Amino acid sequence: MKNFTILVILLIVLSGCSDGNRYNFTDSTENWDVFYDVDVSAGDEQRTTGTIKYIGKEPAPKTIDYKIEYATGVAEGMGKSLTDGSVSTGNDACTGCSVIQEDDEIAVEITWDGQKEKLVLTTGK
């Protein structure tokens, strides 16, 4: 019974900590799948993570440049090496910032081996 009481208290405490939303933005082309996750908490804090994955028919490039643009900022990567055909856009966070919203669109530009593709990521909602 003591373990059950501790579990109930823990669940109540943890449920109070989830004051935010998670948005999964995606888009694909013939050559690329892009996934960009945004965790928003407290209305003015966010953490973003992303993955760019090569799905083309030719061998994957060794490196790419990318630019991710959204209403509140830009993230860029130059000369990023692909591992098993993909690259992480890293973990970015801000506090006291204007955050990405669920209905926003995120523009992504990928450049590799003299080629360039543009994608528009959405949550699909």
Side-chain angles (χ1 to χ4, degrees), residues 54-125:
Y54 183 73
I55 58 170
K57 294 179 179 156
E58 300 296 320
K62 294 190 185 309
T63 62
I64 64 168
D65 298 338
Y66 66 82
K67 184 175 186 178
I68 301 170
E69 293 182 90
Y70 41 92
T72 59
V74 175
E76 294 182 272
M78 305 296 283
K80 295 293 187 174
S81 296
L82 276 71
T83 303
D84 295 326
S86 66
V87 65
S88 171
T89 64
N91 295 318
D92 293 319
C94 67
T95 301
C97 57
S98 181
V99 298
I100 298 171
Q101 301 297 316
E102 181 178 23
D103 58 351
D104 285 351
E105 292 183 344
I106 299 174
V108 177
E109 183 177 276
I110 303 168
T111 306
W112 77 103
D113 297 339
Q115 300 181 60
K116 183 182 294 188
E117 284 192 11
K118 295 181 179 184
L119 300 92
V120 177
L121 311 182
T122 63
T123 60
K125 295 196 177 198

Side-chain angles (χ1 to χ4, degrees), residues 10-82:
L10 183 61
L11 288 174
I12 292 170
V13 169
L14 290 177
S15 67
C17 295
S18 64
D19 184 24
N21 294 303
R22 180 181 186 106
Y23 308 126
N24 301 306
F25 291 83
T26 62
D27 195 17
S28 296
T29 64
E30 289 183 20
N31 292 303
W32 301 98
D33 279 337
V34 180
F35 307 95
Y36 202 69
D37 298 323
V38 180
D39 286 311
V40 176
S41 60
D44 67 348
E45 296 177 11
Q46 77 180 17
R47 177 171 299 279
T48 60
T49 59
T51 303
I52 300 172
K53 181 172 180 59
Y54 183 73
I55 58 170
K57 294 179 179 156
E58 300 296 320
K62 294 190 185 309
T63 62
I64 64 168
D65 298 338
Y66 66 82
K67 184 175 186 178
I68 301 170
E69 293 182 90
Y70 41 92
T72 59
V74 175
E76 294 182 272
M78 305 296 283
K80 295 293 187 174
S81 296
L82 276 71

